Structures are given as structure tokens and as C-alpha cells.
Amino acid sequence: MRHTGLGLALPLIQAFQCIAIRVLCKLCERTCGLLDSVLHVVLPRHRPLGLARRRMNPPVYRPLLDLSTMEERHIILTYRLDRATIHELCAQLEPDLMSPIRQPTGIPPLVQVLSVLHFLASGSFQTTVAISSGMSQPMFSKVLSRVLSALMKYMRRYIIFPEVGELATVKGDFYALGHIPNIIGAIDGTHVALVPPKDSEQVYRNRKIYHSMNVQVVCLADQYISHLNAKFPGSVHDAYVMRNSSIPYVMEQLQRHRVWLIGDSGYPNLPWLLTPVRNPRTRAEERYNEAHGRTRRIIERTFGVLKARFRCLHMTGGSLMYSPKKVCQIIVACCMLHNLALRRQVPFLQEDGPDGGVVAAVEPVESEEEEDDGDDTDNRDTLIQQYFQ
């Protein structure tokens, strides 16, 4: 019986608590309304106070890049591709750039492609490219990774070794350069500077005493890149890169067609690879070396045009400050876009060279010393006797 009073008092206490909470809420609402009216007079742009959480609208990206207002020449100088080719590339990459997973919020696929093309072409810092594209630097970093990953899916569509049915045409184009028969490609390596990982800095230091990736390229007579290997650090010898690429297998499969690659003295002379005679003793060997130099010069021109077209690969653009894996992706992407520009016949405009000048269209010859192991001169001697006596 003595607990009956307490049992009746509890519901009354709870009722008084509910009433007190409602009164306090009303007082808070009236106080917020009074403050809003005062602040609205003092601060016209004041956002109204409220107790309820308001739904925020998603951010809207306002692009600063508009191809429709740019002249064709300015588009090529800025992005290295013409208007039609950019739209074609964007349409191809759009499914990957519009994926709902890890999508850069609000950035249209065309703007993503244009910003990355500008970065590759100019060799500028991410912050500079991001500002000109209307996005933050962290957002551009995500866009760069996304576009590079999308491009890697189409590598074999843009970098293709000649098919058997195309060999006759390829041999004819090379013969016109130096009158050496049966050449289907010129091979050489070039270095792309990067900031090395701290734990393996010495592996990336090349013979020029700077850090780089050693990039092996095989090109055709029209500077089209038909093979690419960008996986090895700068300290690795050109001949080692060649032996550990797919080139030996590909060329051995084509030996029944009696075709050769042409390379400098940094490579061993092989049944499918012609190198110059180091110490010519006869007039025929001298004529062969002259023809060899005229033919092989196309690979130096290819490197010059590639690095002039995409300044991020050129020393004047500074060292690439990315991981070796991402540097490889950048190199592959530049080679793919170089081939795309050639196939679409986009003119190569050199007025955008470093310091307002022109990037050399021919790289200086930087041959490494010849490796003696595996040298086989029988085919070269036979060729000299048949064509250069």
C-alpha cells in the first residue's frame, strides 16, 4: 500500500517532462525565428537557422573547357589531337569514365579526357592543369588515374605489330629510306626521367647519371610505333630489354619471310637484327654503314616527335613524380595517342616547344656500347656482299 502513491506519481512526472520538452522546443523555434529576422536585416545573405537537418544538393561541376569555342589549330597545340579525334576517343572511353564505381563526381567524360590530354601534352604540374580544367588537384589526380586505366584496356588496338599481309608494304617503305631490303622495323631505347623510389634509387640511375625508365620502341618507316616495352628501369642495358621482351619470339616466327629489324651498335647482330659494322675495312662495308644510318635514323626522329608532342616525356618537362608503374602507364598512353594522331593524320605543330622554341624532331644518337655475346654476322656479311659490293 505504501508504494501506491509512487506508482501514481510516475505517470504524472512523465507527463510533466513531455510538456516541458514541448515548451522548450517552442521557445527554441521562436528564438531561432527572432534571430533569423534580426540577422536577415543585418546580414542579407544570412542562411536561416533551423533545428531540422536540411538536405544538401549535390555539387554541380561547371566546366571551363569548351571545344566548340576553340579554333582547330589551338585545339591541336593544346591537346595534340584534332576536334574529331578527341570526340572519337572520348566516345570510346566514356563507358569506363562513367562507371558508377569510383566515379569522379560531376566531371563529364569529355572534360576528363581533355584535362589528361593537356597534362600529357604540356608536362605541367597537376595543380596548373587542374585549375585550367576547373577542378581541384586531388580530383584531377583521380581523373588522371581513371583515364590512364581506361586507355590501358585498348593498348593492343593502338600499338600493333605488322601482320604478314602488310610486310611487303612495310619493307617497301623502309627500302625507300636507305635501300636496305627486307627491313620491317627500327628498334632502339630511349629514357624517360622520373623521381625514383627511395628504396631502389640506384636501380633507376642510367648511364647519364639521372633516374629514368628505359623504354624500348620498334617503329615503322612512317614513325608509327609497332612495339613498346616500358617496364625496365634506366640502369638496364638496351640489349637486355630486347632479350626479355616479346620481340625475339615475334621475329623468330617471321624468319621464314626473311625479314629484319635494324638497330644500333648497342644490340648484338642476330639473324633477324642488323647492326652497323663497327670497324669497316672495305668500301662495301662503308656503303652498308651509310645505308644503315639513313634507315635507322627514323627511330631517332620518332623519339623526337613523340617527346615533342607529349612534353611530359621530355627532359624539359621535368621528371615524372609518380610511381614506376604509373610512369609506365603514362608512357604507354603517350605512344598510343601518338599512333592515333598519325593514323588520323593530325598535323604535328612544333610551335609549342620548350621556352617558346621548338623541341628537336630528331633525338641525338646515344648508342650504348655493343655487347659481344650472341653476335652473329653471317646474315649481315651475306647482305653486304649481295647489295653493297
Side-chain angles (χ1 to χ4, degrees):
M1 296 295 294
R2 56 185 176 181
H3 296 291
T4 303
L6 181 60
L8 294 174
L10 284 176
L12 293 175
I13 295 174
Q14 293 176 354
F16 280 119
Q17 287 178 343
C18 291
I19 294 173
I21 291 173
R22 290 180 181 177
V23 171
L24 289 174
C25 289
K26 290 291 184 179
L27 290 175
C28 289
E29 289 180 1
R30 292 183 179 181
T31 303
C32 289
L34 180 62
L35 289 174
D36 283 338
S37 60
V38 173
L39 292 175
H40 183 71
V41 176
V42 179
L43 302 173
R45 295 186 179 182
H46 165 67
R47 178 179 295 178
L49 299 173
L51 297 180
R53 180 177 296 177
R54 298 177 181 272
R55 175 177 292 183
M56 300 298 294
N57 294 325
V60 177
Y61 174 77
R62 294 177 174 82
L64 299 180
L65 304 176
D66 186 4
L67 287 183
S68 62
T69 61
M70 299 175 63
E71 296 182 356
E72 191 73 14
R73 178 182 177 83
H74 183 54
I75 292 175
I76 296 174
L77 283 173
T78 305
Y79 305 114
R80 301 302 193 253
L81 300 175
D82 59 18
R83 192 191 317 269
T85 304
I86 290 174
H87 283 296
E88 178 183 308
L89 178 65
C90 184
Q92 185 179 58
L93 301 181
E94 185 172 2
D96 298 294
L97 302 182
M98 289 298 294
S99 173
I101 302 175
R102 297 170 59 191
Q103 178 185 354
T105 304
I107 310 295
L110 179 59
V111 176
Q112 296 182 48
V113 172
L114 289 177
S115 62
V116 173
L117 289 177
H118 184 198
F119 168 76
L120 299 177
S122 65
S124 300
F125 291 104
Q126 283 193 6
T127 303
T128 304
V129 177
I131 292 174
S132 65
S133 303
M135 66 182 78
S136 65
Q137 183 275 325
M139 180 59 70
F140 174 75
S141 181
K142 296 179 181 179
V143 168
L144 176 61
S145 298
R146 191 169 184 80
V147 174
L148 290 176
S149 298
L151 283 170
M152 294 306 104
K153 296 181 180 180
Y154 302 96
M155 174 183 173
R156 299 189 182 277
R157 187 178 299 183
Y158 289 93
I159 301 177
I160 308 171
F161 205 80
E163 301 288 342
V164 173
E166 303 170 330
L167 294 182
T169 302
V170 174
K171 289 190 290 185
D173 293 340
F174 270 104
Y175 186 80
L177 296 178
H179 294 87
I180 299 180
N182 300 329
I183 303 296
I184 63 169
I187 185 172
D188 202 359
T190 188
H191 290 265
V192 175
L194 83 163
V195 177
K198 292 183 179 180
D199 57 348
S200 55
E201 176 268 339
Q202 69 282 356
V203 177
Y204 293 87
R205 183 181 289 114
N206 59 31
R207 68 186 188 279
K208 292 285 187 176
I209 319 299
Y210 69 89
H211 303 97
S212 66
M213 297 296 295
N214 191 353
V215 184
Q216 175 185 280
V217 168
V218 176
C219 76
L220 305 184
D222 61 353
Q223 300 179 4
Y224 179 89
I225 295 174
S226 59
H227 171 83
L228 174 67
N229 189 324
K231 298 185 297 185
F232 288 90
S235 63
V236 177
H237 195 280
D238 286 353
Y240 180 88
V241 178
M242 182 267 295
R243 286 196 299 266
N244 289 273
S245 68
S246 61
I247 281 297
Y249 174 78
V250 171
M251 292 304 299
E252 287 169 4
Q253 297 299 311
L254 294 174
Q255 276 308 284
R256 65 180 182 274
H257 300 285
R258 293 178 54 83
V259 292
W260 290 295
L261 295 181
I262 192 167
D264 61 20
S265 58
Y267 297 97
N269 201 84
L270 300 171
W272 45 265
L273 178 58
L274 294 177
T275 60
V277 179
R278 296 199 64 172
N279 299 303
R281 292 181 295 232
T282 65
R283 181 56 187 154
E285 291 179 344
E286 292 176 355
R287 283 195 291 266
Y288 164 78
N289 276 1
E290 293 171 0
H292 185 283
R294 290 195 302 270
T295 306
R296 199 195 65 82
R297 200 170 294 126
I298 188 63
I299 187 68
E300 305 296 342
R301 287 198 293 268
T302 300
F303 288 146
V305 171
L306 174 67
K307 293 185 177 183
R309 183 172 265 142
F310 298 105
R311 287 274 304 283
C312 65
L313 304 182
H314 199 276
M315 285 292 293
T316 56
S319 300
L320 291 169
M321 296 183 289
Y322 302 95
S323 67
K325 180 180 179 180
K326 196 162 189 176
V327 170
C328 292
Q329 289 183 332
I330 291 174
I331 295 169
V332 173
C334 291
C335 291
M336 292 170 59
L337 297 171
H338 168 82
N339 284 353
L340 178 61
L342 289 178
R343 289 298 177 253
R344 294 299 298 266
Q345 298 182 352
V346 179
F348 172 51
L349 304 180
Q350 303 183 74
E351 289 80 0
D352 197 27
D355 303 325
V358 176
V359 177
V362 179
E363 274 203 341
V365 179
E366 299 179 356
S367 301
E368 299 184 26
E369 292 185 1
E370 181 181 1
E371 289 193 343
D372 295 329
D373 55 324
D375 207 41
D376 182 1
T377 61
D378 291 343
N379 285 342
R380 185 178 67 187
D381 293 341
T382 301
L383 178 70
I384 293 174
Q385 292 175 6
Q386 291 179 352
Y387 292 93
F388 296 97
Q389 287 292 350

